[in-house]
Amino acid sequence: MQIFKVGGAVRDRLLGIPVTDVDRVVVGATTEEMLAQGFRPVGADFPVFLHPKTGEEYALARTERKSGRGYGGFTFHASPGVTLEEDLIRRDLTINAMAEDDQQNLTDPYHGQRDLEARILRHVSPAFAEDPLRVLRVARFAARYASLGFTVAPETLKLMRQLSESGELQALTAERSWKEISRALMEDQPQVFIQVLRDCGALKELMPEVDALFGVPQPEVHHPEIDTGLHTLSVLEQSALHKQPLTVRWACLLHDLGKGLTPEEEWPRHIAHEHTGLKLIKAVNERFKAPKDCQELALLVGKYHTHCHRALELKASTLLELLQSFDVYRRPQRFEEFIGACEMDARGRKGLEQRSYPQADYLRGAAQAAREVAVQPLLEKGFKGPELGEALKRERLKALKAYKDKASA
């Protein structure tokens, strides 16, 4: 029995960056031998075991064969006769197909170290094209390592394009797709993930609503970058620079989908795109079964982001309606994330990345003014039920009018 560290642990050590996940492969062992040593089996698809003391994962060396469509369409074979090289060749990228023993002796049959040094993301073998999930994985790695200068090898991009055109991407489950998308959006350069998907034709298959934004112009006076797709990439980039959470990044990706529906004869104006985009945002949310908080924020940002940009001009009654829509009294964090997404939208414009965004603090102040309206005095006056709600609304409106007057003084 021989045990090797494989994949990301080897890759990241060689890159000199922190190792977070350690995967191990066991060569020359049987399931019975692993169980006899106290390892606990997990996973139904292939033999993976948890170490009896550390709880870390150990997988038996295995080969795989394509047997159906999609990510799960594979037959696995694990036996003591499977070599380390046979196990490594089934992996996606050469930089993930290296192994090392406890003395850090490197096994690198597919030249992963050479590609690390050349900053290339290259597939290990033609079998890469058998697994549609790898399109998303490579795009995610491109986003993760873009700051180090990594790019996708042309021949790998070609295989990704073939996969995109084959219809195999449609066989991916929502859960597997969301896992890759959400991880990619939390990388340092999530806009690279979207760009690589577009470069290989996968964006058109997975998110045609986002793909449709490229080539759609916006008024240059507000959007010096003009192209709506490029603007979306810039907004995503800003969301990462400002360390925004996943909910905000997802909303940033989807906020302008309505502009993809504007008839060409109306370009570059996009009247009511906030409302026309809601059905598209809802469709993308449902397609990937995004978590509820991501879905809700994406819809709210899509509907109200121009309200945020025009916050200083809004009437007190419109401000109150906005605050009520977000339930700022019980869910203040959601409103804060909305403000964050809108600020990223404002900063995601060519040459305007550093411009101040006073709307953010103005809306925070408005929310605070509305929250400070006390319920107790109204209860003491005998208001209850629907009447209490109306009285509270009137008092909050008064507070917002006073806030506006003070802010504009």
Side-chain angles (χ1 to χ4, degrees), residues 316 320 369 373 381 391-405:
L320 180 60
V373 174
K381 287 181 180 179
L392 194 55
K393 192 173 177 181
R394 285 195 300 272
E395 291 303 310
R396 285 170 175 162
L397 187 57
K398 278 186 202 172
L400 287 172
K401 284 179 178 175
Y403 173 75
K404 274 187 67 66
D405 290 343

Side-chain angles (χ1 to χ4, degrees), residues 109-130:
Y110 309 109
H111 312 296
Q113 190 170 21
R114 184 179 68 191
D115 284 341
L116 270 187
E117 291 167 358
R119 301 300 197 244
I120 293 289
L121 300 173
R122 191 192 316 276
H123 63 282
V124 177
S125 77
F128 173 94
E130 295 177 349

Side-chain angles (χ1 to χ4, degrees), residues 88-322:
L88 294 176
I89 200 172
R90 66 178 177 79
R91 297 173 186 269
D92 50 8
L93 297 171
T94 59
I95 65 170
N96 296 330
M98 297 180 285
E100 63 182 22
D101 61 20
D102 288 339
Q103 285 72 48
Q104 294 187 346
N105 295 311
L106 191 67
T107 300
D108 181 20
Y110 309 109
H111 312 296
Q113 190 170 21
R114 184 179 68 191
D115 284 341
L116 270 187
E117 291 167 358
R119 301 300 197 244
I120 293 289
L121 300 173
R122 191 192 316 276
H123 63 282
V124 177
S125 77
F128 173 94
E130 295 177 349
D131 184 355
L133 190 67
R134 288 177 169 176
V135 172
L136 289 167
R137 277 176 56 83
V138 172
R140 174 165 64 83
F141 280 121
R144 176 181 297 179
Y145 297 119
S147 61
L148 297 178
F150 276 83
T151 57
V152 181
E155 62 270 30
T156 301
L157 201 64
K158 183 179 178 182
L159 281 182
M160 292 165 68
R161 192 171 293 112
Q162 289 175 11
L163 262 172
S164 300
E165 293 169 355
S166 72
E168 279 268 324
L169 292 175
Q170 306 306 323
L172 290 175
T173 65
E175 292 77 11
R176 289 300 309 183
S177 296
W178 176 254
K179 184 177 180 181
E180 291 297 326
I181 291 167
S182 59
R183 289 176 72 184
L185 289 179
M186 292 308 294
E187 299 290 0
D188 286 342
Q189 296 200 38
Q191 77 281 5
V192 173
F193 172 73
I194 299 299
Q195 184 63 62
V196 170
L197 289 184
R198 186 162 188 269
D199 290 344
C200 71
L203 189 63
K204 187 167 60 177
E205 297 297 318
L206 296 167
M207 299 185 203
E209 302 87 350
V210 177
D211 190 70
L213 298 179
F214 290 87
V216 174
Q218 305 168 102
E220 189 174 1
V221 63
H222 300 301
H223 286 278
E225 72 286 348
I226 300 176
D227 188 284
T228 309
L230 296 181
H231 166 63
T232 300
L233 295 182
S234 296
V235 176
L236 262 187
E237 182 178 14
Q238 289 297 317
S239 74
L241 284 171
H242 290 268
K243 309 296 182 187
Q244 297 289 351
L246 176 62
T247 47
V248 172
R249 299 188 192 201
W250 182 241
C252 285
L253 177 64
L254 305 185
H255 78 284
D256 263 350
L257 292 189
K259 291 180 179 177
L261 295 177
T262 304
E264 285 189 33
E265 59 269 20
E266 294 179 18
W267 289 352
R269 300 177 69 208
H270 299 278
I271 298 168
H273 75 275
E274 306 90 344
H275 296 283
T276 56
L278 293 180
K279 62 184 179 183
L280 301 184
I281 295 172
K282 187 176 181 182
V284 179
N285 275 335
E286 292 176 352
R287 185 178 312 137
F288 298 108
K289 296 182 180 176
K292 187 178 179 183
D293 56 348
C294 288
Q295 293 201 28
E296 288 178 352
L297 188 69
L299 285 165
L300 287 165
V301 170
K303 186 174 183 179
Y304 292 113
H305 63 278
T306 51
H307 276 56
C308 190
H309 299 329
R310 296 187 296 106
L312 280 69
E313 308 161 24
L314 298 180
K315 296 185 297 186
S317 57
T318 309
L319 261 180
L320 180 60
E321 181 188 326
L322 179 66

